[in-house]
């Protein structure tokens, strides 16, 4: 019995059930990483075969062909050929094909066979195939392909038994390698047709249920109505379930921080622990429930096959502003928080479209802007009816949301105009069959994304939070100081320095200063303003703060500040996630730079125009 | 029925991709649905697979209506 681990690579077309099969084989024992320099995920897992042999399984990205139009396909091909640096060629390739969709999937099987390596074909979704009355002559297929063929049902317990038995046995002999040229490519289709004719009988091309559902889901009117309803539901859920949990976590950490520091003497160390580490952790982890709720729904939509339908409905609209139908869900998520939105752009296969989506996502009005909007609108916009039915405060809030959306569209359009690469990027999206999402696959997906968030982001955000705490605490105020402590700190100096930049926007030094903590998390601007204006009762008493604000600055400044908040690059967590998802500081700089410019110009115009009018 | 897929430019990756996805001579295709705005994109069924194609992409595919057979 050989003790050496055997390396197995899973390949297949998108939607063949590869991920489900991978989960079935390896359970939770997976390692997710990225291939160096790109955002293509590398998933690896291991399990012990009945014979005691250790099997190491690599899940390669789903690919349609080896033509390498995307980084995924290039990597898949290189790994299989053993050409990927730092990656050993697999001992065995398991090619997964959807038994209900063999006309498309078999072609890729033939392409894999031409690599001249040992291949096993897993005919997945056999349950669905049987249900639809598809009959496959497996022995004949095996004979004609010259490779072992096993049936699997990736979503049923024990559905991969045959595959495990197969890979645990002898490694099959490889077919001779064949060159890859356009002529033989065309030939593959002819071979597929021949294979299908000889081995598969299919009563009808599509599942009746898909046709019926799509008649509604893709209907020009009902389809859009259904989409709107689904989105409404997701939003409600994020606010109803995610927000209270987020607040609970924030409070929990504040409480923990208080207790942890109870034994410590009063002083900077205590401040660091309570206000820096614990409050910072609270803010970071506070995002987690909302992110998980959102990802839960996105995964459900993805697994059920609805997501591509939504993309289909909205593609035209998104295309006109330089995006794609697939950008819709990430952008929508960004209304809750840009972080899950940007992480969700992974479902956009085209790198150029993905980058554009990432760049505009922070312009969507996220929930963290609301406290600031609420404070300023409450303080400056009179509660008045407009045209008898509208509430002026509500209208201003609506206008701010709209500003974000219009801004994003304008930016998307500008990026489209500016980029050098004007080539056509295809939609070319497969609409898979509808399926009931399987709890295990959803759970594993959630766990993976949650861990990515925690592992990669907490470090960066925590470090920045502590830095922020440091500059707003030191140096401590001199003895006998009368103003709030933050006045005397580095943040105070920086705030005053920033006034030179922000004075044309109508910001006084107090506002400029509050922009510094707002960079850590927007909602903290409210608390910061409360501190500098030394309002009795602090943040708890927002009515007092409203009065102080109304007494201290003009309507023009307030409107200008609102507009600033709508566009400005404020939340460093977002910038951190852009860095992580695009693996480039350059993109972070672009995002920061353009948002700063847009916010500055818009706020400047708002301030000057309002002043001229009032 | 697909006649052939034409390259919109030399070495057109989209046309190549279409051919890889099975848009080759003799395959029957059908427009199943169209998008809500301006009838774009198109939902094309080929074999048992459905693809969403923008009109500009679909324009590369030359089809002939099936002769009664
Ligand atoms: N009925 C059935 N559904 C399956 C089977 N394998 C996977 N699925 C479902 O097919 C969908 C796509 O599977 P996934 O693993 O995400 O495909 P991938 O794109 O190849 O990774 C998911 O909703 C799975 O639950 C199977 O054997 N039978």
């Amino acid at each position: 019995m050989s003790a050496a681990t055997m390396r197995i690579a899973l390949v297949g077309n998108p939607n063949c059930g590869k991920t489900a099969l991978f989960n079935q084989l390896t359970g939770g024992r997976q390692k997710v990483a990225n291939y160096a320099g790109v955002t293509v995920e590398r998933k690896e897992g291991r399990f012990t075969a009945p014979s005691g042999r250790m099997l190491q399984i690599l899940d390669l990205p789903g690919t349609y062909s080896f033509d390498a139009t995307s980084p995924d396909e290039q990597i898949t091909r290189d790994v299989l050929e053993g050409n990927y640096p730092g990656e050993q060629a697999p001992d065995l390739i398991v090619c997964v094909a959807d038994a209900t969709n063999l006309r498309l999937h078999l072609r890729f099987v033939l392409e894999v066979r031409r690599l001249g390596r040992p291949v096993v074909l897993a005919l997945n979704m056999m349950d669905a195939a049987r249900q639809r009355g598809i009959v496959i002559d497996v022995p004949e297929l095996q004979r004609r392909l010259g490779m072992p063929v096993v049936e699997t049902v990736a979503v049923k317990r024990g559905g991969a038994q045959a595959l495990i038995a197969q890979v645990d046995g002898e490694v099959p002999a490889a077919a001779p390698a064949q060159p890859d040229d356009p002529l033989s490519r065309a030939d593959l289709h002819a071979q597929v047709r021949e294979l299908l004719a000889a081995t598969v009988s299919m009563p009808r091309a599509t599942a009746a249920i898909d046709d019926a559902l799509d008649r509604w889901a893709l209907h020009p009117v009902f389809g859009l109505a259904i989409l709107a309803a689904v989105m409404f539901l997701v939003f409600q859920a994020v606010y109803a379930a995610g927000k209270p949990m987020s607040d609970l976590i924030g409070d929990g950490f504040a409480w923990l921080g208080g207790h942890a520091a109870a034994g410590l003497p009063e002083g900077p160390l205590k401040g660091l622990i309570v206000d820096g580490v614990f409050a910072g952790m609270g803010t970071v982890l506070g995002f987690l429930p909302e992110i998980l709720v959102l990802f839960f729904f996105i995964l459900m939509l993805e697994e059920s096959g609805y997501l591509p339908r939504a993309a289909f409905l909205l593609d035209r609209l998104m295309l006109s502003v330089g995006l794609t139908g697939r950008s819709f869900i990430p952008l929508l998520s960004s209304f809750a928080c840009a972080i899950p939105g940007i992480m969700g752009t992974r479902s956009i296969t085209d790198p150029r479209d993905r980058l554009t989506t990432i760049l505009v996502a922070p312009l969507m009005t996220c929930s963290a802007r609301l406290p600031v909007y609420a404070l300023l609108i409450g303080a400056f916009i009179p509660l008045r009816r407009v045209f008898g039915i509208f509430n002026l405060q509500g209208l201003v809030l609506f206008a701010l949301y709209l500003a974000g959306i219009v801004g994003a569209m304008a930016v998307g359009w500008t990026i489209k105009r500016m980029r050098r690469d004007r080539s056509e990027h295809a939609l070319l999206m497969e609409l898979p069959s509808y399926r009931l999402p399987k709890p295990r696959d959803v759970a594993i997906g959630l766990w993976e994304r949650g861990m990515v968030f925690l592992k990669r982001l907490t470090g960066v955000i925590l470090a920045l939070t502590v830095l922020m705490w440091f500059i707003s605490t030191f140096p401590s105020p001199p003895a006998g100081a009368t103003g709030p402590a933050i006045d005397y700190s580095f943040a105070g100096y920086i705030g005053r320095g920033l006034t030179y930049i922000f004075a044309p926007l109508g910001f006084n030094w107090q506002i400029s200063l509050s922009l510094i903590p707002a960079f850590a998390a927007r909602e903290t601007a409210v608390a910061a303003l409360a501190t500098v204006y030394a309002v009795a009762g602090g943040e708890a008493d927002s009515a007092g703060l409203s009065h102080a604000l109304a007494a201290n600055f003009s309507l023009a400044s307030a409107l200008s500040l609102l507009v600033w908040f709508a566009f400005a690059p404020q939340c460093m967590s977002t910038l951190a996630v852009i860095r992580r998802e695009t693996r480039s500081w350059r993109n972070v700089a672009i995002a920061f730079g353009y948002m700063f410019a847009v916010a500055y110009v818009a706020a400047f115009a708002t301030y000057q125009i309002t002043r001229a009018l009032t | 029925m697909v006649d052939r897929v034409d390259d919109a430019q030399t070495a057109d990756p989209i046309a190549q991709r279409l051919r890889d996805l099975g848009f080759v001579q003799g395959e029957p295709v059908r427009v199943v649905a169209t998008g809500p705005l301006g009838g774009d994109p198109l939902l094309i069924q080929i074999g048992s697979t459905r693809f969403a194609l923008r009109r500009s992409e679909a324009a590369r595919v030359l089809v002939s209506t099936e002769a009664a057979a």
Side-chain angles (χ1 to χ4, degrees):
Chain A
M1 193 186 295
S2 100
T5 44
M6 181 155 100
R7 302 173 51 86
I8 298 175
L10 283 184
V11 292
N13 284 24
N15 302 311
C16 63
K18 208 160 50 62
T19 310
L21 196 61
F22 181 71
N23 290 345
Q24 165 88 260
L25 290 175
T26 61
R29 282 149 298 160
Q30 308 181 355
K31 267 207 319 241
V32 187
N34 273 326
Y35 286 100
V38 286
T39 39
V40 178
E41 270 180 2
R42 181 185 185 282
K43 284 212 264 184
E44 194 187 80
R46 41 181 71 233
F47 81 104
T48 318
S51 71
R53 185 153 52 164
M54 186 65 107
L55 304 180
Q56 188 184 350
I57 303 188
L58 188 63
D59 186 17
L60 288 165
T63 31
Y64 285 112
S65 83
F66 284 148
D67 200 32
T69 46
S70 74
D72 295 30
E73 284 161 16
Q74 189 61 50
I75 285 176
T76 303
R77 179 175 196 143
D78 287 349
V79 170
L80 290 183
E81 291 184 331
N83 287 337
Y84 195 82
E87 191 86 64
Q88 261 178 309
D91 301 314
L92 175 67
I93 299 172
V94 173
C95 195
V96 187
D98 174 357
T100 63
N101 203 357
L102 282 177
R103 195 200 52 85
L104 179 66
H105 290 203
L106 268 185
R107 204 200 68 92
F108 185 65
V109 176
L110 294 178
E111 226 178 316
V112 172
R113 187 177 66 162
R114 297 198 306 182
L115 293 173
R117 302 197 156 263
V119 186
V120 170
L121 171 61
L123 283 180
N124 194 32
M125 314 232 184
M126 279 310 291
D127 54 336
R130 270 186 216 108
Q131 212 173 10
R132 276 164 55 178
I134 300 172
V135 181
I136 303 172
D137 182 351
V138 175
E140 178 64 11
L141 189 62
Q142 185 159 319
R143 196 183 62 77
R144 284 178 178 251
L145 282 174
M147 62 173 79
V149 179
V150 293
E151 300 185 3
T152 59
V153 180
V155 292
K156 208 176 72 195
R157 194 181 292 275
Q161 277 315 324
L163 178 63
I164 293 175
Q166 177 65 46
V167 298
D168 201 19
E170 287 294 302
V171 172
Q178 279 164 30
D180 180 32
D181 55 74
L183 221 90
S184 63
R185 273 166 180 277
D187 197 42
L188 287 182
H189 284 293
Q191 289 182 39
V192 168
R193 237 176 275 175
E194 214 174 292
L195 276 173
L196 287 182
T199 60
V200 180
S201 86
M202 202 185 266
R204 54 173 291 158
T206 51
I209 175 121
D210 286 348
D211 293 345
L213 283 174
D214 272 344
R215 238 191 310 283
W216 292 99
L218 299 180
H219 188 277
V221 178
F222 295 113
L224 288 177
I226 292 170
L227 180 64
V230 168
M231 291 310 127
F232 182 76
L233 199 95
V234 171
F235 250 74
Q236 284 300 309
V238 169
Y239 277 101
K243 192 79 181 134
M245 277 197 276
S246 290
D247 295 343
L248 210 69
I249 289 181
D251 294 347
F253 268 91
W255 180 85
L256 265 183
H259 274 254
L264 292 172
E266 211 53 52
L269 180 65
K270 182 168 176 171
L272 174 65
I273 290 182
V274 177
D275 300 328
V277 176
F278 276 94
M281 283 301 276
T283 314
V284 174
L285 292 180
F287 284 124
L288 196 60
E290 282 179 53
I291 290 182
L292 288 184
V293 171
L294 200 63
F295 271 141
F296 171 76
F297 280 99
I298 293 180
L299 275 167
M300 294 289 279
L301 293 179
E302 219 168 61
E303 288 280 310
S304 65
Y306 185 71
L307 215 50
R309 267 95 186 164
F312 175 85
L313 289 172
L314 293 164
D315 184 66
R316 183 61 196 271
L317 189 69
M318 306 297 274
L319 182 65
S320 61
V321 291
L323 296 164
T324 128
R326 299 180 212 230
S327 318
F328 175 69
I329 302 285
L331 290 182
L332 192 87
S333 318
S334 303
F335 277 104
C337 173
I339 294 170
I342 291 171
M343 285 168 71
T345 58
R346 289 178 181 200
S347 61
I348 304 173
T349 38
D350 187 276
R352 190 183 69 184
D353 292 339
R354 179 160 184 254
L355 182 61
T356 313
T357 311
I358 288 177
L359 288 180
V360 302
L363 290 180
M364 301 292 137
T365 304
C366 69
S367 53
R369 285 183 176 100
L370 270 179
V372 182
Y373 285 175
L375 175 73
L376 289 173
I377 290 177
F380 288 94
I381 311 295
L383 194 58
R384 209 175 55 203
R385 305 237 145 240
V386 184
F387 303 126
I389 42 170
F390 299 112
N391 167 335
L392 186 60
Q393 292 190 337
L395 277 184
V396 171
L397 187 63
F398 181 72
L400 287 168
Y401 268 88
L402 206 63
I405 297 171
V406 172
M409 289 169 97
V411 170
W413 190 83
T414 317
I415 294 176
K416 181 168 110 176
R417 293 280 125 170
M418 270 172 37
R419 64 185 159 215
R420 264 160 282 153
D421 167 20
R422 288 281 176 88
S423 62
E424 187 182 352
H425 282 216
L427 177 65
L428 259 184
M429 176 178 63
E430 184 182 348
L431 267 60
S433 287
Y434 288 100
R435 300 181 201 285
L436 273 180
K438 296 292 178 298
R440 190 193 52 205
D441 293 322
V442 173
I444 290 180
L446 261 184
W447 170 253
E448 271 168 13
R449 292 182 203 205
M451 285 316 279
V452 164
F453 174 78
L454 285 182
K455 272 201 262 185
R456 303 302 162 81
L457 283 175
T458 37
V460 186
I461 298 178
L462 204 58
L464 289 174
T465 316
V466 171
L467 181 74
M468 218 43 108
W469 168 83
F470 181 82
I471 63 166
S472 44
T473 312
F474 290 103
S476 347
T482 46
I486 196 168
D487 275 17
Y488 303 92
S489 67
F490 292 122
Y493 289 109
I494 298 172
R496 273 175 246 269
L498 286 177
T499 326
Y500 292 106
I501 305 175
F502 289 120
L505 311 187
F507 297 176
N508 55 21
W509 75 265
Q510 289 94 335
I511 301 184
S512 304
L513 190 151
S514 78
L515 295 181
I516 299 174
F519 185 61
R522 289 187 178 86
E523 59 273 32
T524 54
V526 175
L529 279 174
T531 322
V532 285
Y533 280 115
V535 179
E539 55 200 293
D541 185 3
S542 66
L545 183 54
S546 286
H547 280 299
L549 289 181
N552 275 294
F553 50 96
S554 66
L555 176 67
S557 297
L559 287 179
S560 161
L561 185 59
L562 280 173
V563 170
W564 172 263
F565 264 88
F567 295 115
Q570 262 171 338
C571 146
M572 60 188 177
S573 321
T574 305
L575 295 176
V577 83
I578 292 180
R579 155 78 187 120
R580 162 161 158 82
E581 289 294 317
T582 65
R583 323 220 123 215
S584 129
W585 284 110
R586 189 172 156 262
N587 290 329
V588 176
I590 292 174
F592 184 89
Y594 98 77
M595 286 197 284
F596 191 91
V598 170
Y600 197 91
V601 171
F604 180 78
T606 310
Y607 180 63
Q608 301 299 345
I609 293 172
T610 321
R611 244 188 8 167
L613 292 180
T614 50
Chain B
M1 181 113 68
V2 175
D3 242 358
R4 59 171 200 276
V5 176
D6 275 350
D7 287 15
Q9 73 236 18
T10 44
D12 181 356
I14 298 177
Q16 180 57 46
R17 173 47 54 94
L18 283 168
R19 284 189 284 266
D20 284 349
L21 293 179
F23 291 86
V24 290
Q25 199 195 339
E27 283 295 331
V29 289
R30 188 163 66 90
V31 175
V32 184
T34 56
L37 294 165
D40 202 14
L42 301 171
L43 183 60
I44 312 278
Q45 171 151 354
I46 174 159
S48 42
T49 323
R50 267 165 291 178
F51 289 105
L53 299 186
R54 295 194 183 127
R55 277 179 185 270
S56 56
E57 294 154 24
R60 291 177 170 82
V61 183
L62 297 184
V63 296
S64 55
T65 38
E66 211 166 337

